[in-house]
Amino acid sequence: MSAVGAGQGGPAGGPLFELPEELAIDTGVARRVIAEFVRGQLRQAGFERAVLGLSGGIDSALVAFLVAEAIGPERLLCVMMPYRTSSPESRGDAESVVAALGCASELVEITAMVDGYFGAEGAPGAGGPDALEASALRRGNFMARMRMATLYDRSVTWRGLVVGTGNKTESLIGYTTLFGDSACAFNPIGDLYKSQVRQLAAAMGVPEAVIRKAPSADLWPGQTDEAEAGFSYPVLDRLLFWRIDRRRSVDETVAMGFDRALVERVDRMVAGAEFKRQVPPIAKLGPRTAGVDYLYPRRRPGSARS
Amino acid sequence: MQPLRIALAQIAPRLGDLEANLARHHELIAAARERGAGLVVFPELGLTGYQLQDLAADVAMGLDDPRLGGLARAARGLSAVVSFVEESADHRLFIAAALLEDGEVRHVHRKVHLPTYGLFDERRFFAPGDVVRAAPSRLGVGLGLAVCEDFWHVSVPQLLALDGAHLLVNVSSSPGRDLASSHEVGLGTAASWRTLMRTYAQLTTSFVVFCNRVGVDESLSFWGGSEVIGPTGAPVFGAPMFEEGLFTCDIELGDVRRERIALPLLRDERPELIAREWDRIVAGRAGLGEDAGP
């Protein structure tokens, strides 16, 4: 494993992030491919603009930078959608991204939408009295879906496609909300591991505070992905890379030095999240069925919005 | 021999939009002529886009299609290689590359190796060709056409060279993947292709012309990087990666003769030996030979 060069070290002294050697990408090529991808997706759909949810975290910050590079910041709308418990720091980080890019931004508080369902201060909402006691998981998923609903509404007013901001690591282990944060028209970073997101973010000049801070779903104060899941991203990324991209068996990854319990646990997470990565199955009844034997590109002549 | 100017049309076809792609072909054939090219090469499925799926039947053309004839007439005075979905009289669909010369379709190669693994699903939508043959050309040398995956099978360039090709032309829609800084030019696919081209050019002592598309179909990004490699295996020209454009370079066809005299690899090939051993292996695989496996 190797860290990025000292030249990228921040004021805190250490390197900005840890980059496993086998995951290092050519960031110039990645930027080139992704810029073309973003432009191609918009052109084929007949759109010129894009909209995304900016959380203050590294994933959405990187996507904002990539989209701005591909189509110009004036065609990008970043929507910040905090809940009342969201960290003010996240908001500040999101604003620093908007300032760095000079793109359009908007603040949509989702508090009323979420509390309208779960209730607040003892008064039940649309979800009934039981919803007052809803778990953090239910609340987190609901928030993600309110943000999705907001983005798809803004997609109409801004006349832009919704850009996905989920990375490969969280998609593989299923650390996403179905029809929530994973919902999008296209995703430029869904095939990049978290470590690669960090490498690309550093190369593109995403504010250092955003790269340096611990990844978090920001559902409660002090929450971090790594504490919640019990592993570090560089280790998880390497394990997923060897298991999935390089097709190493469980025994082979254990022989490489990975903890067997971790390997088996991650395997279960990946298998358990298969459904989140696919279009729901349709019961096959007619002669031609979408996704089964009716197979067309998502965009083809005639499908662009006119 | 006069130097030959080759024009590589490294385009980004519009998926399923035959009319738009036809117009682009006409435009670039005219541009190639203006720039003094003797040969202009378009990428695999340049007339239709790659990720067609069920659109394949909608954009298919018979060899007598007037749109193809129109292109051939437009290319008069040049040699042009174009690629499209060919529909045969019995309604099989092929990924085809055609050599257009003197106002007509001079030669057609139907892709013989259809990748159906990993990100590829070609065999589901297309029939494989059954012929690998070099074609004589107005350029005064034999020309060997192949489509993308055909060059991931060493027999194809070898057959074409033995059959008289001096110029091996591979048209591709190669999707870029395996992004890693450890690869030459940052992309695993590009690194592999570059190795293959140099190897084939050297082993067949032929020119290799590789025209790869750019642009995006769905998830796939095509990386361009079209190249011309000389018969010594040394690159003559490389187009930029990911950039659309018409790129030209000049080659000396006489280099083939010089190299084949100096390094008579083709003279020393043993096709009769290969045929004999292949016959034995084919029979064995069918359970017929004396070495038939379990």
Side-chain angles (χ1 to χ4, degrees), chain A residues 24 41 44 288 295-298, chain B residues 15-16 53-54 181 216 218:
Chain A
Q41 297 298 320
Q44 286 167 16
R288 285 186 90 191
L295 300 173
Y296 282 91
R298 286 171 65 91
Chain B
L15 185 57
Q53 299 178 287
D54 284 347
S181 59
V216 179
E218 309 282 297

Side-chain angles (χ1 to χ4, degrees), chain A residues 112-150:
Chain A
M113 299 156 78
V114 175
D115 289 354
Y117 180 79
F118 290 111
E121 291 163 12
D130 292 351
L132 278 167
E133 307 303 321
S135 64
L137 178 72
R138 283 176 62 192
R139 289 174 177 276
N141 281 335
F142 198 85
M143 286 178 211
R145 292 183 181 120
M146 289 303 99
R147 293 187 173 112
M148 177 278 293
T150 303

Side-chain angles (χ1 to χ4, degrees), chain A residues 201-243:
Chain A
M204 292 197 74
V206 169
E208 203 177 293
V210 174
I211 299 174
R212 200 176 275 287
K213 73 179 174 186
S216 167
D218 199 10
L219 298 176
W220 57 82
Q223 181 194 23
T224 69
D225 297 3
E226 286 163 314
E228 201 177 0
F231 35 60
S232 81
Y233 271 115
V235 171
L236 177 59
D237 287 350
R238 286 189 67 230
L239 173 56
L240 290 169
F241 175 77
W242 287 107
R243 276 293 282 135

Side-chain angles (χ1 to χ4, degrees), chain A residues 84-107:
Chain A
R84 59 180 157 81
T85 61
S86 299
S87 131
E89 245 173 65
S90 303
R91 167 92 175 274
D93 288 335
E95 276 165 358
S96 75
V97 170
V98 169
L101 292 175
C103 60
S105 71
E106 216 181 329
L107 180 71

Side-chain angles (χ1 to χ4, degrees), chain A residues 153-188:
Chain A
D153 179 60
R154 287 303 191 259
S155 166
V156 178
T157 56
W158 179 253
R159 287 178 289 128
L161 285 184
V162 176
V163 188
T165 60
N167 65 60
K168 185 170 184 171
T169 311
E170 65 184 21
S171 166
L172 283 173
I173 63 172
Y175 199 60
T176 62
T177 297
L178 189 61
F179 308 122
D181 57 324
S182 63
C184 61
F186 61 88
N187 181 340

Side-chain angles (χ1 to χ4, degrees), chain A residues 25-44 50 52 58-72 76 163-168 186-193 196-201 203-204 206, chain B residues 176-177 179 186-187 214-223 241-243:
Chain A
I25 56 171
D26 183 320
T27 54
V29 173
R31 283 166 83 159
R32 194 74 202 263
V33 169
I34 292 172
E36 200 58 48
F37 172 80
V38 170
R39 287 192 290 265
Q41 297 298 320
L42 290 174
R43 192 191 58 232
Q44 286 167 16
L52 60 84
I58 189 172
D59 296 327
S60 57
L62 172 61
V63 174
F65 269 73
L66 287 164
V67 173
E69 180 167 84
I71 62 173
L76 170 65
V163 188
T165 60
N167 65 60
K168 185 170 184 171
F186 61 88
N187 181 340
I189 64 162
D191 204 18
L192 290 177
Y193 289 108
Q196 297 169 324
V197 165
R198 288 166 167 161
Q199 189 197 357
L200 191 53
M204 292 197 74
V206 169
Chain B
R177 53 205 187 278
L179 194 70
L187 200 60
V214 291
V216 179
D217 282 0
E218 309 282 297
S219 289
L220 308 180
S221 296
F222 302 89
W223 55 276
M241 286 169 67
F242 303 110
E243 217 166 278

